[in-house]
Each structure stands twice: as structure tokens, then as C-alpha cells.
Amino acid sequence: MSRTSAALEPPADAVKPVRHPDAPAPGELLGAHYEHCFGCGDGQPHGLRLEARAGEGVTLTAEFTVRPAHQGAPGLAHGGVLATALDETLGSLNWLLRKIAVTGRLETDFVRPVPVDTVLHLTAEVTAVAGRKIYSTATGRIGGPEGPVAVRADALFVEVKVEHFIDNGRPAEIRAAMNDPDQSRRARAFEVNP
């Protein structure tokens, strides 16, 4: 990144992140945290449908294909869509910590254009934890996992209780998610939304 703001610099008392013992195994597909999530869910016709896989430690990889519905300029991905892909990827890291957290700050660098029909290859890792604050970084490449960098971001996530969603979300969606008989899907529905 060009220069991370002071808000994204972990404090001196930050600790190294620790992968939760029940986190998905390295290489395991994380799956959508919520069917209607624009970033990873299958219930959004124009969503990203980003697919993330657990990595070693507190890292992951993800991919999404830029489709015509994701255009900003003719034939190129919209910058907001690319920022969404980074946010979704970074938010997915919290599943490796088994913490419910929301995006507090996201700083994005757009390095090169991303054409429609391109697969964006993303890598992300949690770099530090300080109390409820989770610091992380991500990079998106085109042309393959080792291709040129197109986008990158640093983020700060803040751990919250599930009441954050109950108090602020639309009641019908909250009830539907809370009543899901699949306990894992029910828990994951609330993992990365703001």
C-alpha cells in the first residue's frame, strides 16, 4: 500500500493472531456465510459469489470472476465491486478466529484495471489482534495467484456480539437466520456483515 493510516497500525500491545482450534482445515472451502450476502451468497443474482478457502495459520485465499454486471467503465470492474471483494475476503478471515466482527475501516489501493471476465485471485491474513480489534491485509492479483497486483487493502474489524445484528437488522431476515435449523449456517450468517 502507499501508506497505511495510523488507524490501521496495530497498537504496541497487539498480539499475534491465533487460529481457533475449530476453524476450517487448510484448503477447506469456507462457503457462503449467508445466502443473501452480496459478496459470497448464491441468493444474489449479481453478487460476487466469492469463494474463500482456509489457508495455514490465519490466512486464506479467495477467487471471484468479474462479470459484465460488475462493470464500472466499459469492460472494466467497478472500483466499488473490487473493494467489496477485498472486504468480503478480509471479513472471511474472522471465521478462522471464530469471532463475529464487522468492518470498522477499509483502506484500498487500486493498482491496475481489472477487465470483465477476469478471475481476481485474493490472499488475506490477520496480522494482529488488540482486544476487540482485528487487523488484516489482503491483495488481489490478476492472471493467476502469482500474477500482477491489481488491488490491495488493509482493514480493521471490530468484534461484536450477535445483538449488533439483532438490534440493527431487518427483523424478518434476522428471524429467518436465527431460526435456521443448521447451527453452523445460523452462526455464520452473522459473521461479517456491518
Side-chain angles (χ1 to χ4, degrees):
M1 294 195 94
S2 53
R3 173 106 175 114
T4 298
S5 72
L8 292 175
E9 290 292 332
D13 63 345
V15 297
K16 183 177 177 178
V18 177
R19 182 190 190 99
H20 192 279
D22 295 330
E28 187 176 328
L29 185 65
L30 299 182
H33 76 93
Y34 177 55
E35 177 187 2
H36 299 289
C37 174
F38 182 79
C40 65
D42 288 334
Q44 294 290 342
H46 299 297
L48 305 185
R49 298 190 177 147
L50 185 134
E51 292 187 344
R53 290 190 180 279
E56 297 292 331
V58 191
T59 69
L60 61 76
T61 59
E63 292 182 356
F64 100 94
T65 301
V66 178
R67 296 186 313 242
H70 302 142
Q71 290 181 86
L76 296 174
H78 189 287
V81 168
L82 298 175
T84 300
L86 288 161
D87 185 46
E88 184 70 28
T89 301
L90 290 158
S92 296
L93 287 165
N94 297 316
W95 190 241
L96 301 177
L97 299 171
R98 298 299 287 250
K99 294 184 181 211
I100 299 172
V102 297
T103 310
R105 185 175 190 94
L106 177 70
E107 291 187 13
T108 305
D109 286 332
F110 301 95
V111 180
R112 65 176 21 97
V114 178
V116 170
D117 296 326
T118 296
V119 175
L120 188 64
H121 300 269
L122 298 130
T123 57
E125 71 174 309
V126 176
T127 57
V129 175
R132 294 176 44 222
K133 295 180 177 181
I134 302 165
Y135 298 85
S136 54
T137 189
T139 302
R141 298 174 180 271
I142 57 176
E146 303 300 320
V149 172
V151 292
R152 55 184 163 225
D154 287 329
L156 167 64
F157 282 78
V158 180
E159 186 177 0
V160 296
K161 303 284 185 207
V162 75
E163 287 77 19
H164 169 84
F165 304 100
I166 294 168
D167 294 344
N168 296 292
R170 287 194 325 179
E173 281 89 349
I174 297 297
R175 276 193 303 277
M178 295 292 283
N179 292 329
D180 190 323
D182 183 315
Q183 183 177 357
S184 177
R185 203 169 45 224
R186 185 172 58 239
R188 287 204 63 204
F190 300 101
E191 84 176 350
V192 296
N193 296 333

